[in-house]
Amino acid sequence: MDQQYVSAIFDEIANLLELRRDDPFRIRAYRRAAQTLLSIDESLQAVAQRDALEAIPGIGKILAGEINELLNTGRLRYHDQLKSTVPEGLPALLRLPSLTVQQARTLWQQHRITSLKQLAQAYRADQTRLDAATLAVLGRDLAAWERDENRMLLGIARPRAEALARNLAKLPTVQQVEITGSIRRGAPLVADINIVMGSEDPEGLIRYCRRQPEVTQILDSGATSTVMLISEGLRVSLAAVPPAQFVSALLLSTGSGTHVAALQRRAQRHGWGLSEHTAAKEAALYELLGLPFVAPELREGRGEIEAAEADDLPRLMSQQDVLGDFRVGSHWGDGANSLDQIAQAARKIGYQYVAICDAAYSAATGRGLSSEELEQQIASIELMNAALPDDFRLLAGVEVDLSPDGDPQAPAVLLQTCDVVVAAARTSLKEPRRQLTRRLCRAMENPLVHVLALPPGRQAGDPEMPPIDMEAILETAAATHTCLEINSHPLRPGLPDVHVRQARDRGVMLTLGSGAQRIRDMQSITLGVTTARRGWAEPRHLLNTRPLQAVLQFLNVNSRRRVPATR
């Protein structure tokens, strides 16, 4: 947990106290503490371990105790208590930079506006009774909120963008078309579908696109660009340029803003602008700047320019490097397909192995395969493997829930016969931060666990997901040689790209699991590949890139198995 998080909590406490017209001294104390914490270079965890929180200016005994409570549990009871005294949506209003606490109080008490949605409706109806200067800034703040509120998961946005791009490519005036923006970079959350097109008649093409029956609203428009809502409620941003400018437009519109700004500065030092040059490929533009090509997934302003200058960019893994899938469900559990169907589909993809990982029975959920059913499934996998070619194998795997103490919820003697054991906490996810972290670390310390799957939803910014101490998770994974899973399911993203990079740097092995319950969903592993690439992962950092025999050796030896299974 960083200083920014604790500072934000203290700042919100000050807002809530001011909203309630509480003691001005107390309000100032929390505001001063919030500002002070942002200026500290050392991590709060380290300061707390030295028992030196009260040495921070403005942090007395009470505030130090509250910081410790936040560090230990991820929550603060006093903060929760204050929030319970006001309407649920009101704290979000207080986070708008354009509103003062007094204005938020007036909106609440006099106009019964207690949520951002209500405020947006009142703003459009001109019923807020705020001054003109505030309204001018409020409009921008609400637009930013609506943009973020309508963001989609990459796994939902990318297929829709690909379908739209295919349809646009069929238009007679379109010579080139590419998805750009955050989708091309593989960002986990997407606000708009951005597409750039090359055409000899850019203005005519945009006029044609605006007239299509799927368009329900034009949000913004220029001669060669438009932002619109289409029938699915999706925001689509289209840009059209002459074919000669297509590559430079693709580079500029892909972003990120930080990356493009760095390239622009570099171009200006050479005496030209990025949009002035024509090129057949983006790599040619990078070459003009004296840089090797930077993959779109790396263009986030996270050191990729410096790495390019030092010729130290990673050789990113690709879909072609993936030789297997470490989590697929079968009809033994919640899946729709038989073992034979899964094996045949995997062989068509070109895989050498697939781990069948149906969930073991969990008393907390009342669902999953019993020990007897798992034994039968393992025997069926044995029989299936005997009939399959030597270059392919189904791995007998299982997904196990964790007890409050972090113990796998399946008999150890049964787990010893599995090729792959994936530990996945699916219940009690709202427990305190330290307790949940310790539970996950205890699972990795179990010699029968090969892979840890983090709770889903973290990449999607789920506000109900408690914070996890990723430093402790990564440290334990490295010490116990436990793999961390990159969940590739479109609706259940797990390990974020920033932690993929941290795991890579610590030597933690990663795995890709599609989580597919139908064979057609096995293709979603491409989302995991995207996350891995955004985390600067090379083929050597993922177990899925190893051939079958190397995978079996890793699972039986490097994972501390007591009794390697004989097949």
Side-chain angles (χ1 to χ4, degrees):
M1 182 177 296
D2 58 17
Q3 285 89 317
Q4 287 82 2
Y5 180 83
V6 179
S7 173
I9 294 293
F10 279 5
D11 198 50
E12 186 163 276
I13 288 175
N15 286 338
L16 291 168
L17 290 171
E18 188 173 350
L19 196 67
R20 289 155 39 98
R21 302 182 190 273
D22 210 303
D23 181 8
F25 177 83
R26 182 181 299 179
I27 295 170
R28 286 196 297 272
Y30 278 102
R31 290 213 191 280
R32 187 166 56 248
Q35 291 298 316
T36 301
L37 291 175
L38 292 177
S39 64
I40 297 173
D41 293 326
E42 188 178 7
S43 75
L44 277 180
Q45 192 76 51
V47 176
Q49 288 174 350
R50 292 192 290 104
D51 198 24
L53 287 174
E54 292 184 43
I56 300 173
I59 304 298
K61 183 176 181 180
I62 292 177
L63 292 181
E66 291 180 342
I67 292 173
N68 273 316
E69 184 178 345
L70 278 164
L71 292 173
N72 293 333
T73 70
R75 305 182 71 91
L76 182 58
R77 285 170 293 178
Y78 181 52
H79 180 230
D80 291 341
Q81 175 192 338
L82 285 174
K83 287 196 298 182
S84 70
T85 65
V86 301
E88 184 177 359
L90 205 56
L93 264 66
L94 297 172
R95 289 193 285 270
L96 288 178
S98 51
L99 285 184
T100 66
V101 175
Q102 293 82 358
Q103 288 170 327
R105 186 193 303 120
T106 299
L107 289 169
W108 167 30
Q109 295 179 347
Q110 296 185 16
H111 305 294
R112 299 293 186 266
I113 294 174
T114 60
S115 71
L116 287 169
K117 185 175 182 179
Q118 291 174 339
L119 179 59
Q121 292 170 345
Y123 171 82
R124 292 195 180 95
D126 196 21
Q127 295 177 350
T128 61
R129 298 185 184 179
L130 296 169
D131 60 270
T134 299
L135 287 173
V137 185
L138 179 62
R140 291 197 294 269
D141 285 349
L142 288 173
W145 166 73
E146 289 176 331
R147 182 187 64 237
D148 293 342
E149 182 75 3
N150 294 321
R151 288 187 300 174
M152 294 175 289
L153 289 167
L154 179 65
I156 302 300
R158 188 155 67 182
R160 287 160 171 75
E162 290 168 346
L164 182 57
R166 286 194 298 269
N167 289 335
L168 290 169
K170 297 174 184 176
L171 298 178
T173 59
V174 173
Q175 296 183 19
Q176 301 143 296
V177 60
E178 287 285 350
I179 300 166
T180 70
S182 54
I183 294 180
R184 187 171 184 235
R185 299 198 313 276
L189 288 170
V190 175
D192 293 0
I193 292 176
N194 298 93
I195 295 178
V196 63
M197 302 171 287
S199 173
E200 296 291 355
D201 183 16
E203 294 186 15
L205 176 57
I206 291 298
R207 286 196 300 270
Y208 177 84
C209 290
R210 287 199 297 258
R211 293 196 301 265
Q212 296 311 297
E214 295 89 351
V215 178
T216 60
Q217 185 180 355
I218 302 296
L219 301 176
D220 190 17
S221 198
T224 58
S225 64
T226 186
V227 180
M228 53 196 184
L229 289 179
I230 61 175
S231 52
E232 291 184 82
L234 303 177
R235 283 172 56 109
V236 177
S237 177
L238 300 179
V241 297
Q245 299 175 15
F246 180 79
V247 172
S248 60
L250 176 62
L251 176 61
L252 292 170
S253 60
T254 295
S256 66
T258 303
H259 181 84
V260 170
L263 296 182
Q264 293 277 31
R265 290 192 296 271
R266 198 176 182 91
Q268 288 168 3
R269 290 198 295 270
H270 288 75
W272 53 278
L274 288 177
S275 59
E276 299 172 6
H277 276 265
T278 61
K281 294 183 178 180
E282 284 180 308
L285 291 177
Y286 279 98
E287 186 177 357
L288 284 171
L289 294 171
L291 297 172
F293 175 73
V294 178
E297 295 90 343
L298 299 184
R299 302 178 195 176
E300 295 291 352
R302 298 175 182 168
E304 70 276 4
I305 297 293
E306 293 79 4
E309 290 173 335
D311 196 25
D312 194 30
L313 287 171
R315 186 183 79 79
L316 296 180
M317 70 161 302
S318 69
Q319 185 66 40
Q320 288 68 39
D321 294 313
V322 179
L323 300 180
D325 187 334
F326 276 102
R327 187 131 67 106
V328 174
S330 76
H331 68 166
W332 284 82
D334 294 330
N337 298 103
S338 66
L339 299 177
D340 179 61
Q341 290 172 326
I342 293 170
Q344 298 311 317
R347 292 184 64 208
K348 287 181 181 178
I349 294 173
Y351 287 165
Q352 295 183 17
Y353 47 87
V354 163
I356 304 298
C357 284
D358 290 305
Y361 178 78
S362 168
T365 64
R367 301 181 61 186
L369 301 184
S370 66
S371 297
E372 293 76 17
E373 289 171 325
L374 279 172
E375 288 178 359
Q376 294 170 12
Q377 184 190 57
I378 292 171
S380 296
I381 291 173
E382 290 276 9
L383 290 174
M384 180 64 62
N385 283 330
L388 288 169
D390 292 339
D391 62 354
F392 181 83
R393 179 162 167 177
L394 290 178
L395 302 178
V398 63
E399 176 191 312
V400 291
D401 196 4
L402 302 175
S403 73
D405 294 328
D407 296 322
Q409 295 296 278
V413 66
L414 182 59
L415 298 183
Q416 282 187 326
T417 65
C418 292
D419 294 310
V420 184
V421 176
V422 178
R426 296 297 183 233
T427 57
S428 301
L429 297 181
K430 293 186 179 181
E431 58 191 351
R433 171 178 181 264
R434 175 174 286 184
Q435 189 173 330
L436 178 56
T437 301
R438 183 58 192 145
R439 185 178 169 206
L440 297 173
C441 289
R442 279 287 303 275
M444 290 187 284
E445 291 164 357
N446 188 307
L448 296 176
V449 170
H450 302 91
V451 181
L452 176 70
L454 289 181
R458 298 187 57 78
Q459 225 179 45
D462 185 347
E464 295 302 316
M465 182 59 63
I468 294 173
D469 185 350
M470 282 304 302
E471 183 70 20
I473 295 293
L474 293 168
E475 182 179 337
T476 305
T480 59
H481 306 289
T482 305
C483 301
L484 294 182
E485 181 191 63
I486 301 175
N487 191 335
S488 305
H489 193 284
L491 300 179
R492 296 194 296 273
L495 190 67
D497 49 52
V498 292
H499 296 318
V500 169
R501 187 172 178 183
Q502 292 170 352
R504 183 205 79 148
D505 293 343
R506 287 172 176 257
V508 175
M509 185 61 71
L510 300 160
T511 67
L512 295 172
S514 68
Q517 299 295 334
R518 298 172 296 183
I519 55 177
R520 69 169 181 260
D521 294 335
M522 291 168 66
Q523 299 293 344
S524 71
I525 207 164
T526 58
L527 291 170
V529 172
T530 297
T531 301
R533 288 172 63 88
R534 284 176 60 82
W536 296 47
E538 300 180 7
R540 60 192 174 94
H541 299 124
L542 284 106
L543 190 57
N544 304 62
T545 64
R546 298 191 182 188
L548 174 60
Q549 292 306 316
V551 166
L552 293 174
Q553 181 180 11
F554 179 94
L555 294 173
N556 284 334
V557 176
N558 206 38
S559 62
R560 304 94 57 223
R561 295 282 296 280
R562 299 282 82 85
V563 183
T566 302
R567 297 276 184 228

